[in-house]
Amino acid sequence: MKLVLDILRGMVIGIANIIPGVSGGTMAVSLGIYDKLIGAITGLFKHFKKSIAILLPLAIGMGTGIVAFGYGLEYLLEHHTLATALTFVGLVLGGLPILLAQFKGALGAKKSRRMGACELICFVLLLAFGIGMALLQGGAEHGLTFGVGTMILLFVLGVVASATMVIPGVSGSMVLLVLGYYNAILALITGSVDALAAGDWGTLLHNMGLIIPFGIGVLLGIFGIAKLIEYLFKNFPSQTYAAIIGLILSSPFAILYSSGALGAFSVGGLIAGLVLGVCGGFATYKMGEN
C-alpha cells in the first residue's frame, strides 16, 4: 500500500512540475514527504539502498505523471482553465496545515518561541518573489535545433529548472516559460513518446540527443539545491519554513495568473473548480498524514 501511495505522490509531483505556476517542491511539502525526499537525495551515496527505496517509486510516479499529463494539459487548460487551476490551488493549499504545524515546531525550538523579524522578512520577501515570478512570464518562445550550443543551453536550463522544481513555491515550468523554452521542451517529451510508439527511431534519437543533456542538468541541479536546503533546514529552520510558507501562499496567484484562469471566468468553471479544489485539498491533506 505504501508503494502505491508513493507512486501516486510521485505522479502528483510530476504533474505539478509541468504546469506553469505549480511547484513540484510545493506538492512534496503538501504531501508531507519533502524532508524525506531531500534527505534521500542528499544521502544517495551515503545510504544508497535506503535512498533508492524512497526515490524509485516517486521517480516512477513522476515520470508517469509527466508523460501522461503532458498530452492532457493543453486540452484541460484551454477548455477547462478555471476548474483545472482551482483544482491545483486546492492540492497546494491542502498541505498548509501540516506545514504550519512544522513551522510552529521550529519556532518552539527557539528561545523566544515566537515569530520574529527574521521570519517575517523571509515570509514577505519570498511571497513577493513568488508573485513576481508569475508576473514575469510571457516572453517570446524559442525553438531548439540540434547542435553543441543547444546541448549546452539545455544542460544549463536543466540545472536552473530543476533547482526551482525542488524549492517549494517556485515553479520550474514557469521559469522555463519566462525564459521562452517551456513549449519546446514539453514538445520534445511528448514528441519522443509519439516517435517511440510509431517506431520513428530517427526522430526519437534526435529528441533524445536534446533531452539527455537537459536531464543531466536536472539531476545535478536537484542534488545541488537539495544540499543547500538541507543546510538551511538544519541551521535556520524557522526562517526556512517562513520562506516556504510565503512561497506557497504565492502559489494560488501564480497558478491562476499563469494559466490564464483570471480571464476565463465562468459560473460552471468556478463551481467545478471549487468542488475539485476542496476534494484535491482533502486528498493532499490525507496523503500528507500517511
Side-chain angles (χ1 to χ4, degrees):
M1 184 62 182
K2 183 180 180 299
L3 178 64
V4 174
L5 272 176
D6 282 344
I7 292 175
L8 288 174
R9 290 182 179 114
M11 288 182 67
V12 173
I13 294 170
I15 292 169
N17 273 325
I18 62 171
I19 299 179
V22 186
S23 164
T26 297
M27 292 312 308
V29 171
S30 298
L31 294 168
I33 59 170
Y34 188 72
D35 293 348
K36 185 169 71 172
L37 178 62
I38 294 297
I41 294 170
T42 58
L44 181 60
F45 300 107
K46 190 175 181 180
H47 307 289
F48 184 76
K49 288 184 178 179
K50 183 180 178 181
S51 294
I52 288 296
I54 294 170
L55 294 174
L56 186 58
L58 292 173
I60 292 171
M62 287 176 65
T64 303
I66 289 171
V67 172
F69 202 72
Y71 288 95
L73 176 61
E74 184 177 354
Y75 173 82
L76 288 172
L77 288 178
E78 181 178 351
H79 298 282
H80 306 285
T81 311
L82 185 58
T84 303
L86 287 175
T87 300
F88 274 90
V89 169
L91 286 168
V92 168
L93 296 183
L96 200 55
I98 294 172
L99 181 59
L100 289 173
Q102 293 172 329
F103 177 51
K104 186 177 179 181
L107 288 176
K110 292 177 59 181
K111 291 182 179 179
S112 63
R113 296 182 179 274
R114 60 184 179 182
M115 186 171 177
C118 286
E119 286 82 11
L120 182 60
I121 290 171
C122 290
F123 170 79
V124 172
L125 286 178
L126 273 296
L127 175 68
F129 175 78
I131 293 172
M133 279 297 300
L135 294 174
L136 280 174
Q137 66 156 318
E141 275 289 327
H142 305 292
L144 295 172
T145 56
F146 193 85
V148 175
T150 302
M151 293 172 74
I152 295 172
L153 171 65
L154 284 166
F155 171 79
V156 174
L157 288 173
V159 172
V160 173
S162 67
T164 56
M165 288 175 193
V166 174
I167 301 172
V170 182
S171 167
S173 53
M174 188 162 64
V175 171
L176 292 176
L177 194 64
V178 170
L179 296 175
Y181 290 96
Y182 172 75
N183 288 324
I185 291 173
L186 184 60
L188 275 178
I189 296 170
T190 56
S192 297
V193 176
D194 290 339
L196 180 63
D200 185 354
W201 307 115
T203 299
L204 181 62
L205 287 173
H206 174 272
N207 287 357
M208 292 306 296
L210 296 173
I211 290 174
I212 288 173
F214 180 76
I216 294 172
V218 166
L219 292 175
L220 291 178
I222 287 174
F223 187 79
I225 200 68
K227 284 286 188 183
L228 173 61
I229 290 173
E230 185 180 52
Y231 172 82
L232 291 174
F233 270 121
K234 183 178 179 180
N235 295 279
F236 308 100
S238 61
Q239 293 90 341
T240 304
Y241 275 117
I244 289 173
I245 291 170
L247 284 167
I248 287 178
L249 289 179
S250 72
S251 292
F253 172 79
I255 294 168
L256 293 169
Y257 184 84
S258 300
S259 65
L262 295 176
F265 178 82
S266 69
V267 175
L270 178 62
I271 294 172
L274 290 174
V275 172
L276 290 171
V278 170
C279 292
F282 179 75
T284 300
Y285 179 74
K286 296 307 289 184
M287 281 194 285
E289 281 187 323
N290 296 317

